[in-house]
Amino acid sequence: MNYEEAVQWIHAREKFKIKPGLKRMEWMMDRLNHPEEKITAVHVAGTNGKGSTVSFLRNIFEGQGLSVGTFTSPYIETFNERISVNGRPIADEELAEVVDRIRPLSEELKHTSLGEPTEFEVITAAALLHFSRLDLDYVLMETGLGGTYDSTNIIHPVLSVITNIGHDHMNILGSTIGEIAGEKAGIIKQGVPLVTGASQQEAAAVLAEKAAECHSPVFWYGKDFHADHLTSGAGRETFRFISESFVSPAWKSSMLGPHQVTNASLAIQAAEVLRHRGAPLERQRYGGAIEKTSWPGRFETIRHKPLTIVDGAHNEEGTGALVETVKRHYSDRRIILVYAALEDKPVEKMLHKLKEVVDVLFVTTFDFPRALSAEDLEELSPVPHTEAVPDYKTAVRKASAQAGDDDVVLISGSLYFISAIRTFLK
């Protein structure tokens, strides 16, 4: 099997079907000689901020000279980036080789009572098999959806991180913050410490109860550690990390928005927990790692004339964070937004949030199974100056043509849309 055949076979799996339970993963791990037991993992769940937190923590580890595997989703430019080592995506031939190992197992599973694995289960198994063959210091595993029944929950990590709890995938995870928190809490393991940014009282109560059951120490953002956000400006956030045992000097991050300061703090606290447990981490190297961190599709500048920023704000919390970031950095600019979203998102609520900062809105669509049409989005838009443009490339060209020297072209909505946009513009 070559690379193209491997990717095509993966995408032919049951892409969006949810099949609860870890039985298929357990079966595959057993047949693969338990690769999940051969890695030192940090497990990261949460509604928003997983990818950014993983990126901050990866850079902290790399800044210490450590080797780090990362498993993230979705991909932005190439499929391979989901499985990376020190920021380098898995090579085509390596991906083809691990998929070639997993494919016959998938076919065998298909004829059992468990049924064939989903696309995400196959990718998770491929990542674990690949990482297990390398001499890595840490593997950072990001959940795909929820936690309890997520295929990544087959691992037994040295540390769990839950970034935050918000309203997303409610048709699957639950209709209340408490129910969603219960699913995220599923990654908490017996005796394994938890670092979390969950702030809602209902969510915190659920996490605290599960952590107590598992005798897992919890480190809460806002209680055990926090960030003193000093300034926003000049393309940087400046902050100081504060915990009982460590107060940092002022550090700068090019990941913009107050939410990214929180994500950076979660990563620093994760490093601190591991440091106190014997990991060879030097605090004086944290700052350089934070400043170096970037993550595609998160308030990312991809053009300067006109200033063009892409941000995958795909749910209510992400949209709120985007609006706050625009207010902090571009409150004096005219904002021209190009927007596309999926039908299972609270689009009307998100557009009402965006109305606070958007002057002109171009709604569009893209080639994706659940993408809303430009016309549907136009009907939902509360922005007075809204225009439906069915072709997203034309929408971007129109927005760019309207932008003056001091205007900002903002492109947002689904992360899948951002992936298409980055391919188009780069």
Side-chain angles (χ1 to χ4, degrees):
M1 180 185 298
N2 62 30
Y3 170 75
E4 289 75 17
E5 292 169 337
V7 173
Q8 186 177 22
W9 179 79
I10 289 172
H11 288 328
R13 301 312 91 208
E14 296 179 281
K15 188 174 183 67
F16 297 111
K17 188 171 181 180
I18 304 299
K19 299 168 77 171
L22 292 171
K23 294 296 184 184
R24 286 172 301 281
M25 285 300 298
E26 291 169 355
W27 189 95
M28 286 193 290
M29 293 299 98
D30 185 59
R31 297 296 295 271
L32 292 169
N33 196 25
H34 292 284
E36 81 283 6
E37 296 177 357
K38 300 171 184 174
I39 61 172
T40 302
V42 175
H43 204 182
V44 183
T47 303
N48 295 94
K50 296 188 296 293
S52 298
T53 301
V54 164
S55 190
F56 279 120
L57 189 53
R58 172 178 73 81
N59 278 277
I60 288 172
F61 285 152
E62 284 185 32
Q64 308 280 336
L66 303 177
S67 55
V68 192
T70 53
F71 179 64
T72 57
S73 60
Y75 66 89
I76 299 296
E77 288 187 347
T78 64
F79 179 86
N80 301 42
E81 70 195 49
R82 298 184 69 169
I83 304 170
S84 297
V85 174
N86 291 343
R88 293 186 297 275
I90 184 173
D92 290 356
E93 60 272 19
E94 291 174 321
L95 180 64
E97 197 277 326
V98 292
V99 172
D100 203 35
R101 176 75 179 87
I102 291 167
R103 182 173 181 173
L105 300 182
S106 174
E107 296 300 322
E108 190 176 342
L109 254 179
K110 184 177 180 179
H111 299 290
T112 72
S113 59
L114 296 174
E116 69 175 325
T118 64
E119 179 187 45
F120 191 70
E121 288 171 335
V122 165
I123 299 169
T124 304
L128 290 169
L129 181 59
H130 179 62
F131 294 143
S132 72
R133 294 172 170 180
L134 306 173
D135 185 21
L136 301 176
D137 294 295
Y138 288 99
V139 171
L140 309 181
M141 296 289 293
E142 178 188 321
T143 61
L145 183 66
T148 303
Y149 299 117
D150 190 83
S151 61
T152 62
N153 209 25
I154 198 71
I155 65 174
H156 195 286
V158 294
L159 176 67
S160 303
V161 179
I162 298 177
T163 57
N164 67 358
I165 309 293
H167 298 88
D168 203 9
H169 302 295
M170 295 169 68
N171 58 322
I172 299 167
L173 301 180
S175 58
T176 68
I177 289 293
E179 289 173 341
I180 296 170
E183 289 299 314
K184 309 288 186 189
I187 73 165
I188 302 173
K189 301 294 195 305
Q190 193 71 29
V192 176
L194 169 68
V195 172
T196 182
S199 57
Q200 305 97 325
Q201 188 174 356
E202 188 179 358
V206 172
L207 297 184
E209 182 179 359
K210 179 61 184 289
E213 288 175 8
C214 294
H215 302 286
S216 299
V218 185
F219 300 87
W220 301 93
Y221 181 85
K223 179 183 175 183
D224 300 300
F225 66 100
H226 69 278
D228 184 8
H229 192 174
L230 303 174
T231 61
S232 297
R236 294 288 187 273
E237 306 290 357
T238 305
F239 71 98
R240 185 177 289 110
F241 174 84
I242 300 170
S243 68
E244 285 188 6
S245 60
F246 176 45
V247 176
S248 78
W251 286 334
K252 296 183 184 297
S253 170
S254 60
M255 299 277 280
L256 300 187
H259 60 295
Q260 294 294 8
V261 171
T262 302
N263 293 334
S265 300
L266 290 171
I268 296 162
Q269 181 61 34
E272 281 290 281
V273 172
L274 295 172
R275 180 178 175 276
H276 286 295
R277 290 181 167 234
L281 302 175
E282 299 175 7
R283 287 170 169 167
Q284 63 266 32
R285 297 188 181 187
Y286 292 170
I290 294 299
E291 189 161 3
K292 181 182 176 183
T293 300
S294 63
W295 191 237
R298 277 66 169 185
F299 213 80
E300 177 191 14
T301 297
I302 53 175
R303 278 185 179 175
H304 291 278
K305 290 186 178 181
L307 179 60
T308 304
I309 296 169
V310 297
D311 189 274
H314 60 282
N315 54 32
E316 287 184 70
E317 285 76 17
T319 303
L322 171 58
V323 168
E324 179 63 25
T325 305
V326 171
K327 287 178 178 178
R328 282 179 174 263
H329 289 271
Y330 299 108
S331 61
D332 58 341
R333 307 276 196 105
R334 189 171 75 122
I335 306 297
I336 303 171
L337 173 64
V338 179
Y339 190 81
L342 304 185
E343 63 185 13
D344 57 351
K345 301 294 183 178
V347 174
E348 194 166 6
K349 290 182 180 179
M350 294 192 292
L351 285 172
H352 271 86
K353 287 180 184 288
L354 288 163
K355 183 186 176 185
E356 296 179 34
V357 295
V358 171
D359 299 287
V360 178
L361 172 60
F362 291 96
V363 288
T364 188
T365 191
F366 64 113
D367 185 17
F368 196 79
R370 306 193 307 273
L372 284 166
S373 70
E375 292 74 20
D376 288 338
L377 286 169
E378 185 178 30
E379 287 184 14
L380 295 172
S381 174
V383 178
H385 296 93
T386 298
E387 180 181 342
V389 183
D391 178 67
Y392 72 85
K393 295 179 182 179
T394 301
V396 172
R397 292 188 186 104
K398 282 193 167 191
S400 299
Q402 277 201 21
D405 291 343
D406 294 325
D407 297 339
V408 177
V409 175
L410 179 63
I411 306 173
S412 188
S414 165
L415 272 170
Y416 297 103
F417 177 53
I418 296 305
S419 177
I421 287 290
R422 289 178 93 259
T423 300
F424 167 55
L425 289 180
K426 285 203 163 185

